[in-house]
Structures are given as structure tokens and as C-alpha cells.
């Protein structure tokens, strides 16, 4: 086998983190203006993962207790439970 002809193999892309979020979890949301919030997820829309329909989370921000709907791709981390 010739050693000069190595063919790279692409690593599989991992699932986006928002595919693993469920109601009751705490998450970190990074806004487009680079600010971030910690929030508790209370409802998930489009669990079917259809690429034509965006996924949304209804959250309550931990710092000010405001409820809001956010696009799922803004979630950057899932906060682990202690």
C-alpha cells in the first residue's frame, strides 16, 4: 500500500445541540448581538425535526423571569443539573 496517497475521511457532523433540548432543561442562549442569557425551557415546538419548519423554544429567562420564544439555533449550551 503506497503511503504517499492518503485519503482523508471526514468526521461525521454531530447533531446540533438544540436537538437534545427538552422542556424542563436549562440552557444558555446567545443572541445575535453577542449577549447571552440563561433560561429554563418550558415548551418545545417542532420536535419532529422537519427541516422546513424552524424549531422554537418557549423559555423563561432566569435573571428577570420574562417569558419569550427563541429560535432553537440560538441555544449554545445545555446547563447540567447538579
Amino acid at each position: 500500500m503506497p503511503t504517499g496517497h492518503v485519503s482523508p475521511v471526514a468526521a461525521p457532523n454531530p447533531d446540533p445541540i438544540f436537538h437534545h433540548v427538552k422542556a424542563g432543561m436549562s440552557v444558555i442562549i446567545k443572541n445575535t448581538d453577542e449577549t447571552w442569557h440563561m433560561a429554563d425551557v418550558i415548551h418545545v415546538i417542532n420536535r419532529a425535526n422537519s427541516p422546513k419548519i424552524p424549531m422554537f423554544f418557549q423559555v423563561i429567562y432566569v435573571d428577570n423571569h420574562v417569558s419569550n420564544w427563541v429560535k432553537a439555533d440560538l441555544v449554545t449550551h445545555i446547563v447540567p443539573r447538579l
Side-chain angles (χ1 to χ4, degrees):
M1 175 176 194
T3 58
H5 300 285
V6 177
S7 172
V9 176
N13 289 337
D15 287 340
I17 194 158
F18 61 81
H19 282 206
H20 304 282
V21 175
K22 297 178 182 123
M25 292 181 158
S26 297
V27 295
I28 301 295
I29 299 167
K30 188 172 183 181
N31 297 318
T32 55
D33 62 355
E34 299 298 317
T35 60
W36 63 273
H37 294 279
M38 185 168 152
D40 295 325
V41 178
I42 57 175
H43 190 68
V44 177
I45 293 212
N46 188 23
R47 179 51 77 188
N49 298 327
S50 171
K52 294 181 180 181
I53 303 171
M55 191 175 209
F56 287 93
F57 299 134
Q58 184 179 17
V59 300
I60 296 179
Y61 295 121
V62 173
D63 57 347
N64 59 11
H65 305 289
V66 171
S67 177
N68 197 12
W69 288 94
V70 296
K71 281 186 68 175
D73 58 354
L74 295 178
V75 172
T76 60
H77 297 80
I78 296 173
V79 179
R81 293 188 179 255
L82 297 177

